[in-house]
């Protein structure tokens, strides 16, 4: 452990003392502080358009006693408004609001509507999809129906006509306990995935470059005489990881501080930023856990592969397969994130594979439906994968630090590991 801490302290200090590291960190902090202060000067009162579709929906409706019509009459009227008499979308519900909430929770209905008037209702639902248009379409239908009914009565004064034209629909959204609002979750999920992607690509390649530089300069031959190869590798990876985590804490801390100072000016469309800085504590903990485990999984791979090259010119060729694998995972997750389809069989499978789960499971936690036991299994597999890759990486690192010449192919690497295990 003494050797590990010596290497760790040296690597961390090396990163923190680099002028490029300091300049980039300070520059990003300044730019973020300025960017989060701009709403103070460009405050807008523009409101975001609600995005929530009637197609393929099964909607239960309840009419309050003050509405003047029964739930059956209300369902018939709504189906007539949208031309769905033959294939009804709206169905009358005769129970209580609590029973309706449970029916939606059990997915008997996709939505539940409790009407206090034709222009005021409460929507009960589970997940609010990223591209769901339910509320927008329903409110337009109700508004058009109200205006048509009012104008059909005739004999209206100018004031009455203006009152009809200016009418609007009010919605109160209530979600079931397990429901997720993808519209609110999208921004911070996308940002955290991008941060994980940049951290792994940037710091993983820095670890690989550090290993390859020491080996190409023959400094590795001196290092392994005073420290075990495994201590060298783990010290380098943990040093780079702590440097990256510190840099992100400083940058994100600056963003949070600048937001708190200028929070009153985040109105209109900018109010969506409030969801980014009001994250649940458990979401932040999941993000941190996935960030750390994901970083170490790939950093161990980069360090092990870099130990196989003897020239910096060969480094990109050796680490390209690991980089491309990570890029493919990133594309799969981003596509799922942008479509809102985060619980597909592919994403579920990716949630349990250590190389893909740091991104895939985090997206499913924030935007999909995941049971607690699924999260626990995924975290255990991630941790086990990080340990296994660390152990395998240490073996490759130990065998590769004194290997010079052309990097071995996959078959040669496997043979080398078998011989190493046999000799030990």
């Amino acid at each position: 452990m003494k050797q590990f801490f010596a290497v760790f302290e040296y690597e961390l200090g090396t990163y923190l003392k680099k002028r490029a590291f300091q300049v980039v960190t300070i520059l990003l902090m300044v730019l973020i502080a300025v960017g989060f202060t701009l709403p103070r000067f460009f405050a807008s009162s523009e409101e975001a358009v609600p995005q929530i579709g009637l197609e393929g929906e099964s909607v239960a409706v309840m009419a309050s006693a003050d509405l003047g019509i029964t739930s059956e009459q209300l369902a018939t009227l709504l189906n007539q408004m949208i031309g769905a008499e033959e294939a009804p979308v709206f169905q009358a519900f005769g129970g209580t609001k609590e029973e309706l909430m449970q029916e939606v929770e059990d997915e008997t209905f996709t939505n539940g509507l409790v009407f206090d008037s034709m222009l005021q209702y409460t929507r009960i639902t589970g997940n609010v999809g990223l591209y769901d248009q339910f509320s927008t379409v329903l409110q337009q239908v109700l508004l058009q129906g109200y205006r048509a009914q009012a104008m059909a009565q005739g004999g209206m004064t100018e004031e009455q006509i203006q009152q009809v034209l200016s009418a609007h629909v009010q919605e109160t959204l209530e979600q079931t306990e397990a429901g997720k609002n993808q519209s609110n979750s999208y921004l911070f999920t996308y940002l955290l995935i991008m941060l994980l992607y940049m951290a792994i690509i940037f710091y993983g390649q820095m670890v690989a470059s550090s290993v390859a530089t020491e080996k190409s300069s023959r400094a590795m031959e001196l290092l392994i005489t005073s420290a075990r190869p495994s201590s060298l590798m783990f010290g380098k990876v943990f040093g780079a990881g702590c440097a990256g985590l510190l840099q992100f804490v400083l940058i994100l801390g600056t963003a949070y501080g600048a937001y708190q100072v200028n929070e009153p000016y985040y109105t209109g469309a900018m109010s969506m930023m409030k969801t980014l800085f009001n994250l649940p504590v458990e979401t932040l903990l999941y993000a941190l856990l996935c960030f750390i485990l994901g970083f170490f999984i790939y950093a161990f791979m980069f360090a092990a592969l870099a130990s196989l090259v003897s020239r910096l010119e060969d480094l990109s060729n050796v680490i390209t397969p690991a980089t491309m694998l990570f890029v493919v995972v990133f594309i799969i997750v981003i596509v799922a994130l942008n479509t809102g389809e985060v619980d597909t069989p592919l994403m579920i499978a990716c949630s349990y594979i250590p190389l893909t789960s740091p991104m895939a499971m985090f997206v499913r936690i924030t935007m999909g439906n995941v049971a607690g036991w699924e999260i626990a299994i995924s975290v255990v597999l991630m941790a086990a994968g990080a340990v296994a890759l660390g152990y395998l990486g240490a073996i490759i690192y130990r065998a590769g630090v004194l290997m010079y010449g052309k990097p071995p192919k996959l078959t040669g690497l496997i043979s080398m590991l078998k011989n190493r295990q046999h000799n030990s």
Side-chain angles (χ1 to χ4, degrees), residues 188-210:
F188 68 77
T189 303
Y190 185 87
L191 178 61
L192 292 174
I193 289 297
M194 287 299 300
L195 289 176
L196 177 59
Y197 174 80
M198 290 187 294
I200 290 177
I201 291 295
F202 182 71
Y203 288 102
Q205 292 187 352
M206 285 185 67
V207 170
S209 179
S210 175

Side-chain angles (χ1 to χ4, degrees), residues 147-267:
R147 289 173 176 172
Q149 183 180 17
M151 292 180 179
Q153 295 175 354
M156 294 187 300
T157 64
E158 183 176 346
E159 181 180 355
Q160 290 173 326
I161 293 176
Q162 185 62 35
Q163 182 178 3
V164 171
L165 294 176
S166 61
H168 64 279
V169 180
Q170 297 179 357
E171 176 189 77
T172 302
L173 178 64
E174 294 185 12
Q175 292 183 256
T176 56
E177 184 177 354
K180 297 290 182 64
N181 192 325
Q182 292 186 343
S183 298
N184 291 339
S185 304
Y186 176 83
L187 180 61
F188 68 77
T189 303
Y190 185 87
L191 178 61
L192 292 174
I193 289 297
M194 287 299 300
L195 289 176
L196 177 59
Y197 174 80
M198 290 187 294
I200 290 177
I201 291 295
F202 182 71
Y203 288 102
Q205 292 187 352
M206 285 185 67
V207 170
S209 179
S210 175
V211 173
T213 300
E214 290 176 352
K215 187 175 178 182
S216 63
S217 64
R218 298 297 178 111
M220 190 70 70
E221 297 177 2
L222 298 176
L223 290 172
I224 62 173
T225 60
S226 57
R228 292 191 302 272
S230 57
S231 297
L232 287 172
M233 189 193 75
F234 282 99
K236 285 180 174 295
V237 171
F238 277 83
C242 287
L245 187 60
L246 176 60
Q247 188 177 49
F248 277 108
V249 167
L250 291 174
I251 293 172
L252 296 179
T254 300
Y256 182 77
Y259 167 79
Q260 290 296 326
V261 172
N262 300 284
E263 190 270 341
Y265 300 94
Y266 281 78
T267 59

Side-chain angles (χ1 to χ4, degrees), residues 404-415:
Y404 291 93
K406 188 177 180 180
K409 295 182 179 180
L410 180 60
T411 54
L413 178 60
I414 295 175
S415 298

Side-chain angles (χ1 to χ4, degrees), residues 23-33 247 251 254:
V23 171
V24 170
T25 302
I26 295 174
L27 182 61
L28 288 176
M29 291 171 65
V30 171
L31 290 176
I32 287 176
Q247 188 177 49
I251 293 172
T254 300

Side-chain angles (χ1 to χ4, degrees), residues 121-156:
Y121 66 91
T122 295
R123 179 189 179 193
I124 299 172
T125 189
N127 291 333
V128 179
L130 184 61
Y131 299 107
D132 194 356
Q133 298 289 321
F134 182 92
S135 291
T136 302
V137 175
L138 179 62
Q139 290 173 20
Q140 290 176 351
V141 169
L142 293 176
L143 195 56
Q144 290 174 0
Y146 168 77
R147 289 173 176 172
Q149 183 180 17
M151 292 180 179
Q153 295 175 354
M156 294 187 300

